[in-house]
Amino acid sequence: MDTIALLDGKRIILGVCGSIASYKSLDLVSKLTQSGVAVDVIMTEAAQRFVAPLAFQSVSGRPVYTDLWQSDADGGLPTHIAHIGLAEEADFLLIAPATANTIAKLAHGLADDLLAVTALAAKCPLAIAPAMDGAMYENPALRANLEVLRSRDVHVIEPEIGRFASGLSGLGRLPETSTLMGQVRRILGLDGELSGHKLVVTAGGTREALDPVRYLSNRSSGKQGYAIAQAALDAGAEVVLISAAQHLAPPIGARLVSVDSAGAMQEAVLENLVESTALVMAAAVADYKPADVSQQKIKKADHDLTLPLERTADILMTVKQRRADTGYPMIVVGFAAESENLVENATDKLQRKGLDLLIANDITANDAGFQVDTNRVLVLDMDGGLHKIDRRSKADIGAYIIERIGGLLD
């Protein structure tokens, strides 16, 4: 796993409470550490009955704090003042899993263990991820405590529906690591460079129906568009992700609008452009669609099949007109996937469609572009600038595009 720019160099305190779900926190610590985070783990007494402190120390490479009074032989902070040192240095405090007991302590300001004392002393953002039996989670006392914490700007990461250790099912399971990581990124990015700005991002290849079971499409996976959406969230933007990709989990915090066809994507784009800062048109939109869609499955015959095609709507040209009329979006970024004459074709598209930036890639490369996690692109701007990015992860390219949008705003 690569480091994540938003997280790299951050100090995060992870509080672990006494729940069978505490084993999931080991994977969370591992993923955070791989992302460049220094993770200080505080375990309650009950948590140590489920997972040994040594396990967390092994994946974090750092001392684990377990007792407000016990002396520390591992080179960490003296435990009687650990809550002060940890709280002052932390960029973020996450308690996952958070039990009903710890939630009650936080809501009522109790300070009888190291985790509760540290939470009181911390001035950084605080988030909790409740994990407990479904009946406990729905108990009025627990719900009231959560509302108290929300009123104090504590971020509550909602649990998921699933099976409990008791064998029962309901709402109360700790979310998986990917969700927790996404929530950490969402919260840490709230005050980013694009805070207060709305970005609309499109992703994936559209599908144009031929009959009830067949369609015309392309090889776009949607990965680059999703990476751009995540980078925008990391920068604090409100993100609307209009996606034709079917098998990708949307970044935590993005508002997902699922579409199929070019026509549906155009409708969704135009609906969401109001007061938008930028449109990033990363989707591979079909240029043609079947002129007639059969209501029944087309049967195999002894003769060749001729499919008349007609042009789909040109979304960027429509946006160009809408922008001229309303001023929104302020910035438009387009993409060009070309198999020849890359610079010439990309320059023509940039100028013809009135784009601020155009991201061009050569689709003949087999280690970049469609359906892989890497890309190599040329970035063209309205002033004739051309910047080449050699093979990089799509996450890195997404971050670069968002950085360029921030630069245009400046």
Side-chain angles (χ1 to χ4, degrees):
M1 182 175 180
D2 295 330
T3 58
I4 296 172
L6 176 67
L7 302 181
D8 193 19
K10 291 289 193 296
R11 294 285 297 273
I12 292 180
I13 300 172
L14 177 66
V16 182
C17 302
S19 165
I20 187 61
S22 57
Y23 77 91
K24 290 185 177 180
S25 300
L26 282 169
D27 186 48
L28 176 61
V29 172
S30 177
K31 294 297 192 297
L32 286 170
T33 301
Q34 293 174 57
S35 300
V37 177
V39 186
D40 290 309
V41 178
I42 299 176
M43 301 182 71
T44 65
E45 181 179 356
Q48 297 169 65
R49 294 180 176 270
F50 291 94
V51 181
L54 180 61
F56 284 101
Q57 185 173 335
S58 298
V59 294
S60 70
R62 301 175 63 81
V64 174
Y65 298 90
T66 60
D67 194 316
L68 186 60
W69 306 111
Q70 180 180 348
S71 61
D72 181 16
D74 295 324
L77 293 167
T79 54
H80 70 287
I81 60 168
H83 63 289
I84 301 299
L86 290 171
E88 286 183 345
E89 296 177 357
D91 296 298
F92 186 61
L93 171 54
L94 170 65
I95 303 176
T99 58
N101 184 52
T102 292
I103 291 170
K105 288 182 182 182
L106 297 177
H108 295 281
L110 299 183
D112 62 348
D113 65 13
L114 180 57
L115 179 56
V117 172
T118 304
L120 282 175
K123 296 180 180 180
C124 62
L126 168 61
I128 61 172
M132 63 197 70
D133 176 77
M136 293 176 65
Y137 188 68
E138 297 298 332
N139 187 282
L142 186 280
R143 307 301 294 184
N145 287 336
L146 290 177
E147 286 307 310
V148 168
L149 293 177
R150 288 190 179 98
S151 72
R152 298 173 186 162
D153 295 325
V154 174
H155 302 272
V156 178
I157 301 172
E158 293 292 341
E160 297 177 349
I161 296 174
R163 185 179 183 277
F164 305 124
S166 63
L168 301 175
S169 295
L171 179 64
R173 278 178 59 91
L174 184 70
E176 298 302 320
T177 299
S178 59
T179 299
L180 294 173
M181 287 285 291
Q183 290 287 0
V184 170
R185 296 179 74 166
R186 181 188 67 81
I187 295 166
L188 284 175
L190 287 175
D191 296 325
E193 180 185 8
L194 295 184
S195 177
H197 292 279
K198 174 184 174 182
L199 268 67
V200 179
V201 181
T202 68
T206 60
R207 295 177 296 278
E208 308 302 326
L210 174 60
D211 65 16
V213 296
R214 301 181 181 93
Y215 56 82
L216 302 180
S217 189
N218 55 63
R219 298 181 184 275
S220 174
S221 64
K223 290 181 178 180
Q224 185 63 80
Y226 276 57
I228 294 167
Q230 180 64 74
L233 290 165
D234 287 351
E238 173 194 351
V239 176
V240 180
L241 176 58
I242 301 173
S243 175
Q246 294 183 312
H247 305 295
L248 296 178
I252 300 297
R255 178 164 68 85
L256 178 66
V257 180
S258 296
V259 297
D260 277 325
S261 66
M265 180 166 284
Q266 174 170 275
E267 181 179 347
V269 166
L270 296 179
E271 284 180 357
N272 286 282
L273 286 187
V274 178
E275 298 186 349
S276 62
T277 297
L279 167 66
V280 183
M281 199 72 193
V285 182
D287 293 323
Y288 293 90
K289 64 180 181 179
D292 297 302
V293 179
S294 174
Q295 299 304 307
Q296 304 297 328
K297 179 183 175 182
I298 299 173
K299 303 299 290 182
K300 188 174 183 179
D302 293 333
H303 54 80
D304 293 337
L305 177 65
T306 300
L307 294 177
L309 301 177
E310 63 184 24
R311 284 293 307 271
T312 59
D314 190 320
I315 298 177
L316 281 175
M317 292 301 288
T318 305
V319 169
K320 180 182 179 180
Q321 183 60 54
R322 179 68 62 90
R323 186 186 188 189
D325 294 339
T326 67
Y328 296 109
M330 297 164 58
I331 297 167
V332 181
V333 181
F335 275 67
E338 303 289 347
S339 59
E340 59 181 357
N341 302 324
L342 182 61
V343 175
E344 294 85 347
N345 289 334
T347 301
D348 174 68
K349 184 172 183 178
L350 172 78
Q351 296 172 350
R352 188 163 39 85
K353 301 195 177 184
L355 306 176
D356 299 282
L357 293 174
L358 187 133
I359 318 301
N361 62 288
D362 184 348
I363 61 174
T364 63
N366 58 16
D367 60 348
F370 289 148
Q371 299 180 330
V372 295
D373 295 326
T374 55
N375 210 348
R376 57 167 60 89
V377 300
L378 295 177
V379 182
L380 293 77
D381 63 42
M382 68 183 93
D383 297 323
L386 190 154
H387 178 71
K388 180 180 180 181
I389 301 179
D390 287 326
R391 186 169 174 266
R392 301 280 296 276
S393 71
K394 289 183 175 178
D396 286 346
I397 291 174
Y400 175 81
I401 293 169
I402 295 303
E403 182 181 341
R404 287 293 301 267
I405 290 173
L408 289 172
L409 290 173
D410 292 337

